[in-house]
């Protein structure tokens, strides 16, 4: 129970009016418009709420169905929406087989290894068909997998990753891809939660020019899963280089198998695609939330594939002849939807790059684009900032031409946006700033590339069929032009929305719908707005400007990390009594986590030792991408009188912002101690305009 004064303080802060300079519009070129997939101004009418839900038939009709559905949307059990009920399809068929009659010789995937001397590898649709079939045969016969089973995949950015995913989809096996950068322990937690008996990994890969051992994480993952009661009986290991093993870990007899060796037995095998119901799950993707336990976001087959295919066509403007490059990792939702499923369903050529954008230098992406004639480019603000910092004039040196560029994952600063537009896009590319989340399957807000002008820093209106609404804390609508930040929600269900949280339906309802549902008995979808967990401003022109998370999630270089997960990792260090993790503004990564810890009484260990232990605990339990910028060791934490740690105060200190009124705290004096410690050891200048998520951070405490 927070005491009232603190609660008031926090509420008023959450409702703080935000003012920012309106940016000038930018317009798509006539050349872009003349070739765009979506030029029809009627689209908004077609996708209006009056035409909901039948409007989404337009997307489902982009797919091939074994059996056409009888009910577009079943809302009889809100908020468990069921799309395209009665329909049957197969994702692997839609992404591969149906393209063969006309395009078997066309590149489906072009793999660009990180080492620049290794040539790109093109995989045609026919080759993809063969490899997916053989892999599916192995998964079915050797690994004993069948429809509805779960498989955990922990792999780097290599073609074998989509091949494995598509092989699962061919069988109706539910894949759970864990981002390759996650630690073995994090992978093990996800194996156990999903109940996977099989783990698929790779020996190693290249990152920043170095070989990374991936297989070593598998042993830790299996042990961690076992500790949680989940037995993995097979670990299937792809090899990055034929005939070599990039991992030093021994292969465990009877458990670990090299994929290339077993695949020999399945050469030339074909597996008929298994028709699955539109409502059967296609995959799970774990993501962070307010509590420590990651949520297994469950996505459907029919609704999901229809939605990513439709949005890839209209918003990414993918045509069959495009060369499309999304630099995200396939281990995140962006990669699932917009490297693998959307682009391949449209029969395009999707490029997969193994490594970091700035290896060996900040000209690499533009060389790749020039060499392979990429014309659609998709990345995140953190990469754009890094490329701009290290090579502001690099793009000029290359003769690449993008017709469309995407930014996704975090808010983009208007001047970073302008560099992207002027330098990378050479003032000819349209930019779409697409706002969405793991839970959503595909885009929620973005400009329609040929129809709406761009506005730097703003995502734009809802994409076709998505009707956003911004509510204040009390549930009042903040209409366009309200000039006050609120919580962005979506009024209506859409085909790409998650089905549930794996094994936690109650948590699904609570997290995404409870806040603004007026009547939980209601069967009317209109009573169930989807709560996204982001603060936003609704501008007069109907454009949404995303301000950041309103919950305890930190967006670090586009990686979504839960503070509670980081804090529980800190608490595994025996000397640590309490831990609090807060976001700090970072010019490249957007936000980085900073850790505060209080030691158990009587501990005399050197604080430097403790800092090291805390950092390695975080790296081992979560992954290197979660490494904090600082670990501050303090004798106590600022607390409310009811004993809750005031993360908001620590966030303020870390970001050199005013801490506000702390007199109601149980121990106000500690704030001064912490301030002196932090300010004496960092040369932080006061933050300029403070993003909304930093302002609000910890308000739940
Ligand atoms: C959170 C979701 C699916 C995209 C990759 C991240 C932030 C995402 C934008 C954007 C401002 C954005 C939000 C959101 N976010 N896109 N264009 N502008 N913020 O997926 O890991 O589920 O993270 O990323 O805060 O809630 P995710």
């Amino acid at each position: 129970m927070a005491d009232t004064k603190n609660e008031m303080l926090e509420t008023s802060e959450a409702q703080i009016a935000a003012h920012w300079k309106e940016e000038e519009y930018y317009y798509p070129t006539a050349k872009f418009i003349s070739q765009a997939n979506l030029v029809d101004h009627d689209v908004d009418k077609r996708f209006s709420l009056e035409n909901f839900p039948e409007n989404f038939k337009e997307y489902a009709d982009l797919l091939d169905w074994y059996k056409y559905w009888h009910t577009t949307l079943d809302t009889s059990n809100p908020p468990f929406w069921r799309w395209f009920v009665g329909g049957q399809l197969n994702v692997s068929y839609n992404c591969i087989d149906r393209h063969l009659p006309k395009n078997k010789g066309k590149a489906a995937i072009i793999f660009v290894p990180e080492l620049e001397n290794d040539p790109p590898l093109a995989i045609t649709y026919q080759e993809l068909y063969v490899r997916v079939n053989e892999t599916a045969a192995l998964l079915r016969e050797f690994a004993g997998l069948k429809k509805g089973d779960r498989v955990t995949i922990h792999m780097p950015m290599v073609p074998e990753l989509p091949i494995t995913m598509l092989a699962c989809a061919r069988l109706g096996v539910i894949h759970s891809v864990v981002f390759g950068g996650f630690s073995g322990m994090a992978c093990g937690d996800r194996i156990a939660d999903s109940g996977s008996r099989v783990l698929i990994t790779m020996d190693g890969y290249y990152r920043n020019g170095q070989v990374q051992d991936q297989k070593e994480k598998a042993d830790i993952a299996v042990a961690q899963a076992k500790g949680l009661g989940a037995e993995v009986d097979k670990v299937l290991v792809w090899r990055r280089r034929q005939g070599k093993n990039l991992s030093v870990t021994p292969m465990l007899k009877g458990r670990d198998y090299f994929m290339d060796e077993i695949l020999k037995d399945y050469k030339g095998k074909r597996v008929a695609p298994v028709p699955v119901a539109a409502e059967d799950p296609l995959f799970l993707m774990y993501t962070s939330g307010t509590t420590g336990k990651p949520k297994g976001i469950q996505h459907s087959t029919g609704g999901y594939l229809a939605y990513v295919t439709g949005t890839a066509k209209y918003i990414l403007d993918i045509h069959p002849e495009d060369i499309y490059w999304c630099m995200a990792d396939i281990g995140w939702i962006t990669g699932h939807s917009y490297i693998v499923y959307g682009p391949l369903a449209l029969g395009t050529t999707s490029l997969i790059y193994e490594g970091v954008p700035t290896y060996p230098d900040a000209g690499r992406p533009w060389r790749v684009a020039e060499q392979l004639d990429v014309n659609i480019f998709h990345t995140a603000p953190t990469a754009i900032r890094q490329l701009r910092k290290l090579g502001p004039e690099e793009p000029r040196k290359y003769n690449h031409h993008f017709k469309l560029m995407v930014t996704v994952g975090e808010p983009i600063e208007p001047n970073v946006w302008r560099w992207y537009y002027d330098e990378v896009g050479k003032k000819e590319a349209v930019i779409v700033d697409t706002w969405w989340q793991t839970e959503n399957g595909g885009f929620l807000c973005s400009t329609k590339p040929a129809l709406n002008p761009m506005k730097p820093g703003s995502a734009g209106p809802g994409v076709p069929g998505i009707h956003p609404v911004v509510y204040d804390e009390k549930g009042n609508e903040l209409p366009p032009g309200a000039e006050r930040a609120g919580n962005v929600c979506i009024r209506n269900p859409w085909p790409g929305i998650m089905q549930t949280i794996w094994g936690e339906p109650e948590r699904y309802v609570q997290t995404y719908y409870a806040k603004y549902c007026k009547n939980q008995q209601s069967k009317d979808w209109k009573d169930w707005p989807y709560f996204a967990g982001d603060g936003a401003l609704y501008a007069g022109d109907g454009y949404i400007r995303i301000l950041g998370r309103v919950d305890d999630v930190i967006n670090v270089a586009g990686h979504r990390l839960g503070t509670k997960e980081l804090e529980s990792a800190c608490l595994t260090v025996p000397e640590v009594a309490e831990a609090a993790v807060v976001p700090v503004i970072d010019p490249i990564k957007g936000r980085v986590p900073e850790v505060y810890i209080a030691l158990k009484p009587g501990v005399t260990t050197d604080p430097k030792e403790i800092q090291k232990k805390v950092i390695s605990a975080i790296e081992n339990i979560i992954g290197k991408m979660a490494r904090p910028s600082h670990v501050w060791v303090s004798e106590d934490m600022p607390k409310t009188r009811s004993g809750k740690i005031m993360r908001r105060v620590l966030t303020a200190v870390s970001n050199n912002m005013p801490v506000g009124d702390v007199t109601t705290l149980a121990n106000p004096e500690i704030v001064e101690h912490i301030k002196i410690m932090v300010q004496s050891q960092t040369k932080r200048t006061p933050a300029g305009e403070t993003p909304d998520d930093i302002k609000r951070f910890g308000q739940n405490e």
Side-chain angles (χ1 to χ4, degrees), residues 333-334 408-411 433-434 436-438 534 549 555 560:
I333 192 73
T334 305
V408 61
E410 314 156 61
D433 181 343
T434 59
W436 60 297
Q437 313 169 297
T438 303
D534 277 323
R549 302 288 312 182
N555 192 332
R560 184 165 151 185

Side-chain angles (χ1 to χ4, degrees), residues 287-288 332-334 338 381 407-412 432-443 445 457-459 532-535 545-551 553 555 558-561 693:
T287 192
S288 297
W332 301 117
I333 192 73
T334 305
Y338 298 120
T407 167
V408 61
E410 314 156 61
I412 186 166
V432 285
D433 181 343
T434 59
W435 168 73
W436 60 297
Q437 313 169 297
T438 303
E439 292 87 340
N440 311 149
F443 304 142
C445 286
S458 289
D534 277 323
R545 188 193 189 215
I546 300 295
L547 302 165
R549 302 288 312 182
V550 297
D551 56 9
V553 167
N555 192 332
H559 304 306
R560 184 165 151 185
L561 302 173
D693 62 330

Side-chain angles (χ1 to χ4, degrees), residues 189-241:
D189 291 342
R190 288 155 178 77
I191 291 173
D193 190 78
S194 63
S196 304
R197 281 174 31 248
V198 175
L199 169 64
I200 305 177
T201 184
M202 182 164 248
D203 57 347
Y205 62 103
Y206 294 88
R207 195 181 155 78
N208 258 322
Q210 305 290 316
V211 171
Q212 303 289 320
D213 192 329
Q214 182 73 1
K215 164 66 170 53
E216 69 177 7
K217 293 182 180 177
D219 298 313
I220 301 166
V222 171
Q224 173 76 3
K226 190 167 182 173
L228 296 166
E231 201 74 47
V232 171
D233 50 48
K234 282 196 174 61
V235 176
L236 305 177
V237 185
W238 290 99
R239 276 195 276 203
R240 173 68 181 77
R241 287 195 183 278

Side-chain angles (χ1 to χ4, degrees), residues 120-381:
L121 170 75
I123 299 173
T124 64
Y125 273 96
Q126 177 66 23
E127 287 166 341
L128 185 63
Y129 171 76
V130 170
R131 295 191 65 183
V132 166
N133 271 281
E134 292 175 355
T135 306
L138 181 155
L139 294 182
R140 186 176 63 188
E141 282 149 45
F142 182 74
L145 293 167
K146 54 178 195 316
K147 179 168 172 263
D149 291 345
R150 279 82 54 206
V151 165
T152 298
I153 305 175
H154 195 208
M155 290 177 64
M157 281 288 284
V158 291
E160 287 74 13
L161 175 51
I163 286 170
T164 309
M165 291 160 67
L166 289 160
C168 290
R170 200 162 186 88
L171 300 171
V173 169
I174 303 168
H175 59 68
S176 166
V177 178
V178 175
F179 169 60
F182 269 120
S183 69
M185 284 176 84
C187 179
D189 291 342
R190 288 155 178 77
I191 291 173
D193 190 78
S194 63
S196 304
R197 281 174 31 248
V198 175
L199 169 64
I200 305 177
T201 184
M202 182 164 248
D203 57 347
Y205 62 103
Y206 294 88
R207 195 181 155 78
N208 258 322
Q210 305 290 316
V211 171
Q212 303 289 320
D213 192 329
Q214 182 73 1
K215 164 66 170 53
E216 69 177 7
K217 293 182 180 177
D219 298 313
I220 301 166
V222 171
Q224 173 76 3
K226 190 167 182 173
L228 296 166
E231 201 74 47
V232 171
D233 50 48
K234 282 196 174 61
V235 176
L236 305 177
V237 185
W238 290 99
R239 276 195 276 203
R240 173 68 181 77
R241 287 195 183 278
Q242 248 179 358
K244 285 196 184 148
N245 185 358
L246 300 187
S247 173
V248 296
T249 334
M251 298 287 280
L252 195 70
K253 208 163 180 269
R255 188 198 71 180
D256 300 354
Y257 301 90
F258 284 123
M259 282 294 280
D260 54 313
E261 286 175 359
I262 311 296
L263 270 171
K264 285 184 188 139
D265 298 339
Y266 297 92
K267 211 166 171 53
K269 282 263 176 176
R270 299 288 184 265
V271 173
V274 175
V276 305
E279 275 302 289
D280 282 332
L282 175 62
F283 67 87
L284 306 179
M285 162 132 312
Y286 283 85
T287 192
S288 297
T290 303
T291 68
K293 187 170 175 278
K295 300 176 279 199
I297 302 300
Q298 178 184 320
H299 279 288
S300 75
T301 300
Y304 171 81
L305 192 67
Y307 196 68
V308 300
T309 307
T311 48
K313 180 168 179 182
Y314 285 169
I315 306 299
L316 300 179
D317 198 48
I318 292 183
H319 298 238
E321 63 274 20
D322 289 324
I323 306 282
Y324 166 82
W325 181 15
C326 172
M327 266 203 319
D329 195 288
I330 295 174
W332 301 117
I333 192 73
T334 305
H336 274 48
S337 300
Y338 298 120
I339 296 178
V340 182
Y341 291 121
L344 296 183
L346 290 172
T348 192
T349 300
S350 186
L351 202 146
I352 295 177
Y353 174 57
E354 178 180 32
V356 297
T358 50
Y359 184 83
D361 57 66
R364 183 69 188 278
W366 326 130
R367 279 201 292 286
V368 170
E370 180 188 73
Q371 246 7 35
L372 298 171
D373 202 16
V374 175
N375 66 341
I376 305 178
F377 182 67
H378 191 152
T379 192

